[in-house]
Amino acid sequence: MKAAIAGASGYAGGELLRLLLGHPGFEVGALTAASSAGTPLAAHQPHLPQLADRIIQETSGAALAGHEVVFLALPHGHSAAVAAELPAGVVVVDCGADHRLTDPAAWREFYGGEHAGTWPYGLPELPGQRQVLADARRIAVPGCYPTSVLLALFPAFAHGLAEPDVVVVAASGTSGAGKAAKPHLLGSEVMGSVSAYGVGGLHRHTPEMEQGLSGVAGVPVRVSFTPTLAPMSRGILATCTAPAAPGLTRAAVREAYESALAKEPFVRLLPEGLWPATAMTYGANTAALQVTLDERAGRLIAVIAIDNLTKGTAGGAIQSVNLALGLPEELGLPLTGVAP
């Protein structure tokens, strides 16, 4: 099947291309972008020699026509208009934010403008979500931070282990901010320094976390989210805590998580005593997770590591597309990372 990538010159686009080149079910079709149109892909993705001479086209419905799958790795607010030009039978995968939220008011508050509508949410691990994605022709890929938080906490809320009042502190690498030049992301600003941003409930991924966790819990879940920028190119390490349910024990927490994740191919519950590190997941469509109970504070603690570009974006997108097309869910997706 032919797959087109809009936004092929960006970080998410490059990761999609890396994974698609190793996927036996896909042939890479049109590559499009905005400001980089007319230039060879090698100028933007030199790590992809198989596609080095391909010329990037201007993003349009005509350029993306004739493909079975179209991936939109575009900034928020740009996907809806492009998707509207594509036939209903094409699988369109939005790696941006346009179609993730179900509440138009939340979209207006955190993103501004009119809400473009809601598509099936591309996180197969959530309870019941694989059935939703089967045969889907429009898919909204989660944000990278929500991917980590939802994977870390859905077992807790599915099993009634925690109260609906979540605190998340997460560190992300600089690729999460995209490829556009920004002074605060210069090497001299980032190296040797960790900084907080979007503090006080301002980060745009907050309502997405609340939406996903509330859907699992069956009651509204409040999330206080503090993101931090770490001096690394890839990765997210998220520490997620919530008040523990009365009478909860460490053994019960472990048992519930083992049960919830036993058949998940991409979420690894680490052996007791081993804690996640971002280096465990580089280049892999996997999540490394550990959970415990702080008995003194009465809080459940889940710590998770993912690669924000793989499981957090491109890998999660292809995983969802595999399900939508009736392919094996693990097809073309790396389980092994790169170390050191």
Side-chain angles (χ1 to χ4, degrees), residues 88-266:
V90 175
V91 178
V92 183
V93 187
D94 185 4
C95 296
D98 289 23
H99 301 95
R100 295 171 186 164
L101 297 180
T102 58
D103 183 0
W107 172 267
R108 288 192 293 270
E109 178 183 354
F110 283 86
Y111 292 93
E114 289 303 310
H115 185 230
T118 306
W119 290 358
Y121 195 62
L123 192 61
E125 290 84 0
L126 290 181
Q129 204 60 23
R130 286 185 171 91
Q131 292 88 334
V132 173
L133 290 168
D135 299 319
R137 289 300 176 265
R138 296 291 187 269
I139 297 170
V141 179
C144 53
Y145 278 128
T147 294
S148 64
V149 173
L150 295 176
L151 291 178
L153 289 178
F154 87 81
F157 286 106
H159 287 266
L161 307 181
E163 302 296 331
D165 189 5
V166 171
V167 175
V168 176
V169 178
S172 175
T174 55
S175 61
K179 211 170 187 178
K182 302 178 182 71
H184 73 284
L185 297 180
L186 292 171
S188 56
E189 301 290 335
V190 174
M191 287 188 297
S193 178
V194 178
S195 58
Y197 66 99
V199 181
L202 301 180
H203 196 281
R204 288 169 168 169
H205 286 174
T206 302
E208 189 180 340
M209 297 176 191
E210 293 181 336
Q211 173 181 293
L213 292 176
S214 298
V216 176
V219 296
V221 176
R222 180 174 57 186
V223 176
S224 174
F225 174 47
T226 303
T228 62
L229 181 67
M232 57 187 183
S233 59
R234 290 174 176 254
I236 287 176
L237 184 73
T239 300
C240 314
T241 78
L248 191 64
T249 65
R250 288 182 180 175
V253 171
R254 185 76 189 183
E255 181 181 354
Y257 269 73
E258 288 176 345
S259 174
L261 301 174
K263 296 182 179 179
E264 291 299 338
F266 298 114

Side-chain angles (χ1 to χ4, degrees), residues 148 236-238 276-281 286-289 303-307:
S148 64
I236 287 176
L237 184 73
T278 54
M280 294 177 178
T281 65
T286 56
L289 173 63
V303 180
I304 192 166
I306 64 169
D307 184 322

